[in-house]
Amino acid sequence: MLRQRRIRHLTAVAAAVLLLAGCAGTPSGQAVVGRWGSTSTGQPNLDIENDGTFSGSDGCNTLSGKGQIDGDEITFGPIASTLMACENVDTWLGKAATGNVSGDTMTVLDDGGSTIGTLKRSGS
């Protein structure tokens, strides 16, 4: 009887651990993953992968790096960028520190916490 109780207890603990592990970095992080912005000339865009790797353009320069996804937010790591000069293009995306997703909109903030722009979800 005692052995059966222990087995049930261990089974319940194992199930709880698996359930919590499944919640750790999953479905909510999917809010950030995908394509953001427009690939039209002069427009900012990002492709963000499950592991936080991102690539895209600020509308002029190509951007790439690896960030950390936590729920509906990404903290961008150092951003590698080309350094082309383009007329009439606001290269705000290269200054991104974090991005917060609400619905189909990502609000991008700089390292001071100020909103510098938004990107709309544009596909998978």
Side-chain angles (χ1 to χ4, degrees):
M1 186 70 149
L2 182 59
R3 181 180 170 161
Q4 287 178 345
R5 214 181 269 165
R6 282 185 183 165
I7 290 173
R8 275 187 267 164
H9 178 74
L10 289 174
T11 302
V13 169
V17 168
L18 289 173
L19 180 64
L20 290 174
C23 295
T26 52
S28 64
Q30 292 302 308
V32 175
V33 174
R35 178 165 289 161
W36 297 91
S38 171
T39 56
S40 297
T41 302
Q43 297 299 308
N45 63 79
L46 281 178
D47 286 312
I48 303 173
E49 304 294 330
N50 287 321
D51 66 355
T53 301
F54 59 89
S55 62
S57 172
D58 62 9
C60 176
N61 296 289
T62 58
L63 308 172
S64 64
K66 185 164 182 180
Q68 180 72 34
I69 297 173
D70 184 13
D72 59 359
E73 179 176 281
I74 182 169
T75 301
F76 295 101
I79 299 175
S81 173
T82 58
L83 297 173
M84 296 172 40
C86 298
E87 290 185 34
N88 302 318
V89 176
D90 182 356
T91 58
W92 60 269
L93 189 54
K95 299 176 185 91
T98 59
N100 300 303
V101 175
S102 178
D104 286 336
T105 302
M106 177 183 292
T107 302
V108 181
L109 297 92
D110 64 15
D111 60 2
S114 296
T115 298
I116 56 174
T118 59
L119 297 169
K120 293 285 186 186
R121 184 177 297 279
S122 62
S124 52

